[in-house]
Coordinates of all heavy atoms in Angstrom, one line a residue:
E17 N 16.5 5.0 4.6 CA 17.4 5.9 3.8 C 18.8 5.6 4.1 O 19.6 5.5 3.2 CB 17.1 7.4 4.2 CG 15.9 8.0 3.6 CD 15.8 9.4 4.0 OE1 16.0 9.8 5.2 OE2 15.4 10.3 3.1
L21 N 20.7 4.3 1.1 CA 21.4 5.5 0.4 C 22.7 5.9 1.1 O 23.5 6.6 0.6 CB 20.5 6.7 0.4 CG 19.1 6.5 -0.3 CD1 18.2 7.7 -0.1 CD2 19.3 6.1 -1.7
V56 N 9.5 14.1 -2.8 CA 9.5 15.0 -4.0 C 9.2 16.4 -3.6 O 8.5 16.7 -2.6 CB 8.4 14.5 -5.1 CG1 8.7 13.0 -5.5 CG2 7.0 14.6 -4.6
D59 N 6.5 22.2 -7.9 CA 6.2 23.6 -8.0 C 4.9 24.0 -8.8 O 4.7 25.1 -9.1 CB 7.4 24.4 -8.5 CG 7.7 24.1 -10.0 OD1 6.9 23.3 -10.6 OD2 8.7 24.7 -10.5
E64 N 10.5 17.3 -8.7 CA 11.8 16.9 -8.4 C 11.8 15.7 -7.4 O 11.3 15.9 -6.3 CB 12.7 18.0 -7.9 CG 14.1 17.6 -7.7 CD 15.1 18.7 -7.4 OE1 14.7 19.8 -7.3 OE2 16.3 18.3 -7.1
V70 N 14.2 1.6 -1.8 CA 13.5 0.4 -1.5 C 14.4 -0.5 -0.7 O 15.6 -0.6 -1.1 CB 13.0 -0.3 -2.8 CG1 12.3 -1.6 -2.5 CG2 12.0 0.6 -3.6
K77 N 11.0 -6.2 -7.2 CA 9.6 -6.7 -7.0 C 8.6 -5.7 -7.4 O 7.5 -5.7 -7.0 CB 9.4 -7.1 -5.6 CG 10.4 -8.3 -5.1 CD 10.1 -8.7 -3.7 CE 11.1 -9.7 -3.2 NZ 11.2 -10.9 -4.0
N85 N 5.0 5.3 -10.5 CA 3.7 5.4 -11.1 C 2.8 6.2 -10.2 O 2.0 7.0 -10.7 CB 3.1 4.0 -11.4 CG 3.8 3.3 -12.5 OD1 4.4 3.9 -13.4 ND2 3.8 2.0 -12.5
F88 N 3.8 10.0 -10.4 CA 3.5 10.5 -11.7 C 2.0 10.7 -11.9 O 1.5 11.7 -12.4 CB 4.1 9.6 -12.8 CG 5.6 9.6 -12.9 CD1 6.2 8.5 -13.5 CD2 6.3 10.6 -12.3 CE1 7.6 8.5 -13.5 CE2 7.7 10.6 -12.4 CZ 8.4 9.5 -13.0
T90 N -0.4 10.9 -9.6 CA -0.9 12.0 -8.7 C -0.6 13.4 -9.1 O -1.4 14.3 -9.1 CB -0.3 11.7 -7.3 OG1 -0.6 10.4 -6.8 CG2 -0.8 12.7 -6.3
I94 N -2.5 17.2 -11.4 CA -2.4 18.6 -10.9 C -1.4 19.5 -11.6 O -0.9 20.5 -11.1 CB -2.2 18.7 -9.3 CG1 -1.0 17.9 -8.9 CG2 -3.5 18.2 -8.6 CD1 -0.7 18.0 -7.4
K97 N 4.4 18.8 -15.6 CA 4.8 18.8 -17.0 C 6.2 18.0 -17.2 O 6.4 17.5 -18.3 CB 5.0 20.2 -17.5 CG 3.7 20.9 -17.6 CD 3.8 22.3 -18.3 CE 2.5 22.8 -18.6 NZ 1.9 23.7 -17.7
R104 N 23.5 8.8 -8.7 CA 25.0 8.5 -8.8 C 25.3 7.8 -10.1 O 24.5 6.9 -10.5 CB 25.4 7.6 -7.6 CG 25.4 8.3 -6.3 CD 25.8 7.3 -5.2 NE 25.7 8.0 -3.9 CZ 26.7 8.7 -3.3 NH1 27.9 8.8 -4.0 NH2 26.6 9.3 -2.2
L108 N 23.7 1.7 -11.3 CA 23.2 1.2 -12.6 C 21.8 0.7 -12.5 O 21.1 0.8 -13.5 CB 24.2 0.1 -13.0 CG 25.6 0.5 -13.3 CD1 26.5 -0.7 -13.7 CD2 25.7 1.7 -14.2
L120 N 16.0 11.2 -19.5 CA 17.2 11.4 -20.3 C 18.2 12.2 -19.5 O 17.8 13.1 -18.7 CB 16.8 12.2 -21.6 CG 15.8 11.5 -22.5 CD1 15.3 12.4 -23.6 CD2 16.3 10.2 -23.1

Side-chain angles (χ1 to χ4, degrees):
E17 284 180 316
L21 306 172
V56 301
D59 68 2
E64 182 174 356
V70 174
K77 298 184 187 300
N85 289 333
F88 293 158
T90 302
I94 54 174
K97 293 185 168 96
R104 290 178 183 272
L108 300 180
L120 301 173

